[in-house]
Amino acid sequence: PVCIRTVITLLKMIKEEAMAKEGDEAKELWKVGAAIAVAQMGSLRGPEVFMLDLAGIRAHIEKDRQGVMPDSPLDDGEDLFGVTHVYLAMIDQFKGETGVR
């Protein structure tokens, strides 16, 4: 596993670079940063990052945007039920899913 401090440092570097660029190059840097963040948050491994469904994510992007983020979301016992979150749509089956519910 990659240390979270390493991921945060990498994302800061990508953000600085993306803000200094324009056009397609900046867009590609933002996409790389987003993929790294999603991979870390979703505990995605290897090709699972490429299973993200951009159309599915965009279709749900407004859902649950009205949540409220607490000041210290990582504190023990912090209730995160009502926080803002992003729906990550995936293509195909994910982490051993069988499609049967």
Side-chain angles (χ1 to χ4, degrees):
V2 179
C3 173
I4 190 65
R5 286 188 179 99
T6 302
V7 173
I8 290 170
T9 300
L10 177 61
L11 291 174
K12 285 180 180 179
M13 291 168 62
I14 291 171
K15 179 180 178 181
E16 288 174 11
E17 188 75 18
M19 292 178 78
K21 303 290 182 182
E22 293 182 9
D24 289 341
E25 191 172 357
K27 288 179 187 177
E28 291 302 314
L29 287 164
W30 289 116
K31 289 177 190 177
V32 169
I36 290 170
V38 167
Q40 179 70 22
M41 291 180 290
S43 298
L44 303 181
R45 298 181 302 270
E48 293 171 342
V49 173
F50 300 105
M51 293 173 63
L52 291 169
D53 177 7
L54 183 57
I57 293 170
R58 289 179 60 101
H60 293 88
I61 198 73
E62 293 299 325
K63 184 175 180 165
D64 296 314
R65 268 198 165 180
Q66 282 66 35
V68 177
M69 183 62 74
D71 291 332
S72 302
L74 300 179
D75 285 355
D76 287 341
E78 186 68 51
D79 181 11
L80 301 177
F81 184 75
V83 301
T84 301
H85 65 276
V86 176
Y87 176 92
L88 297 178
M90 306 292 285
I91 297 171
D92 206 5
Q93 295 175 341
F94 178 67
K95 293 191 186 257
E97 287 182 333
T98 62
V100 178
R101 297 199 186 240

